[in-house]
Amino acid sequence: MRHIVIGAGAVGGAVGGRLAQAGREVVLVARGGHLRALAEHGLRLRVPEGESVHRLPAVEGPEPLGELRADDVLLLAVKTQDTTAALDTWAAAPVTGGGTAGERLPLLCLQNGVEGPRIALRRFRRVYGVCVWLPATFVEPGVVSAPGAPLTGILHLGRAEGGTDDTARRIAEDLTAARFEAPVVPDVARWQYAKLLGNLANAQEALSGPIEGAAAEGLYARVRAEGEAVLAAAGIAHASVGEQRAVRGDKVNLVPPAGAPRGGGSSWQSLARGTGSIEADYLNGEIALLGRLHGVPTPLNELLQRLARTFARERRAAGSLPLADLVRLADEAREASA
């Protein structure tokens, strides 16, 4: 099995690097300065036990690989807002023996939110959802830090439409060998929606810094309460906080590698790198969408979505909105919707 990691950033780079360490065949897909750094210097993977360099094939698209192999697995790790462009590039790639990647190859969506698999199923027949519990940082081209120990992360996976199969189990075996726990579950969406509730904090962290202290934690609790109300109204099941804690236990503790910069979550990293886009439309925006469909007000999630989008578009610095100002804006939004 060859693992082609489409989007070798924080999550993709950590998974690809760990798979390479475990002796699996890996191809990294990236662009711009990150691709140049990977091609010239290799992937520098910083983990608790030290830094390693992996000189792996690095490409921008499928053309340099020629025909894809029948045993290839595509690991999609781009942000959701970049999903359509990435899949349009790879779905039509020819596969040895006939057919295209979209027709024949398995695609795993290692992404936050729940929209990625839905986009993928329009282009790929064999799509697998993944609930990604993997702390990782990518702010410097060619360098990825993954501070989880003793496991690097936990990756629940299953067929996007529900159920499991032998392909999911084979992929899980490779991930397990690469220092991940990879439960194969028939209801992966239930875990993805649980993760979505946690990811509602991403925009807040990107705007105003870590969710620490009474004021920040109080705001996040209000944002999450909107999400829980929306999922309840929509009849969408999700794993409870207690169930998640029981599964995770002490398996993924943060042990920052020496010299690794202190960073934030994926949305914070998008602002820190000045990418010009952010995934809030598919996190807080998912709650806003469901709220509108089911008649549940979501003013706080709408506010975070709007502010995060503005900060990304205007390339404002991560964490530059004072928390007191964000809380005031949240109070005003709540009052206006009452």
Side-chain angles (χ1 to χ4, degrees):
M1 209 180 260
R2 181 173 65 170
H3 299 270
I4 300 176
V5 182
I6 304 171
V11 168
V15 172
R18 282 302 204 187
L19 284 167
Q21 283 184 335
R24 271 49 178 187
E25 190 175 0
V26 175
V27 175
L28 301 179
V29 181
R31 58 188 178 183
H34 187 42
L35 174 60
R36 290 192 294 273
L38 293 173
E40 294 173 10
H41 308 294
L43 171 67
R44 292 169 56 194
L45 180 63
R46 294 172 173 171
V47 292
E49 61 267 29
E51 181 178 302
S52 56
V53 177
H54 303 276
R55 294 191 174 277
L56 304 169
V59 300
E60 188 170 10
E63 291 80 7
L65 300 177
E67 286 190 338
L68 300 183
R69 298 176 355 197
D71 66 346
D72 281 338
V73 174
L74 306 182
L75 307 180
L76 182 70
V78 300
K79 297 290 195 304
T80 305
Q81 66 268 25
D82 299 321
T83 295
T84 297
L87 294 184
D88 284 348
T89 296
W90 285 86
V95 178
T96 299
T100 65
E103 293 166 337
R104 295 185 56 193
L105 299 184
L107 175 82
L108 271 70
C109 296
L110 289 90
Q111 300 171 296
N112 287 330
V114 296
E115 186 64 20
R118 296 196 292 232
I119 297 173
L121 282 168
R122 291 176 170 85
R123 296 162 175 82
F124 279 77
R125 291 176 180 169
R126 301 171 64 193
V127 178
Y128 299 80
V130 184
C131 176
V132 180
W133 178 253
L134 168 53
T137 301
F138 162 55
V139 293
E140 177 185 349
V143 183
V144 170
S145 298
L151 295 179
T152 300
I154 299 176
L155 307 171
H156 287 76
L157 66 148
R159 293 183 65 90
E161 66 272 30
T164 63
D165 60 20
D166 288 340
T167 298
R169 286 184 280 273
R170 288 173 55 215
I171 295 168
E173 289 175 2
D174 278 0
L175 292 171
T176 300
R179 301 183 73 121
F180 294 96
E181 185 170 291
V184 178
V185 296
D187 53 354
V188 68
R190 194 170 70 90
W191 291 92
Q192 290 175 303
Y193 276 105
K195 177 77 184 311
L196 171 65
L197 291 174
N199 286 145
L200 298 181
N202 287 22
Q204 179 182 334
E205 179 195 46
L207 294 167
S208 298
I211 313 298
E212 298 173 353
E217 291 171 1
L219 177 56
Y220 166 59
R222 293 159 61 193
V223 172
R224 182 185 175 101
E226 284 186 357
E228 291 174 340
V230 161
L231 295 187
I236 296 174
H238 60 88
S240 68
V241 172
E243 186 177 1
Q244 294 177 78
R245 286 175 178 165
V247 168
R248 292 170 185 160
D250 292 326
K251 299 171 185 175
V252 185
N253 299 307
L254 299 186
V255 184
R262 178 179 177 179
S266 56
S267 296
W268 183 93
Q269 293 174 45
S270 292
L271 292 186
R273 295 201 313 276
T275 62
S277 69
I278 200 165
E279 60 187 340
D281 283 347
Y282 301 98
L283 302 177
N284 307 92
E286 179 71 22
I287 298 304
L289 168 63
L290 290 172
R292 290 164 189 151
L293 291 175
H294 297 279
V296 179
T298 59
L300 302 185
N301 279 280
E302 292 175 33
L303 172 69
L304 291 177
Q305 178 189 5
R306 183 172 66 253
L307 289 175
R309 211 166 39 209
T310 298
F311 268 55
R313 183 178 64 251
E314 298 179 357
R315 289 177 166 78
R316 298 191 197 179
S320 60
L321 178 63
L323 178 61
D325 290 350
L326 180 57
V327 171
R328 174 181 53 79
L329 291 171
D331 290 340
E332 292 173 355
R334 193 74 170 266
E335 291 174 5
S337 70

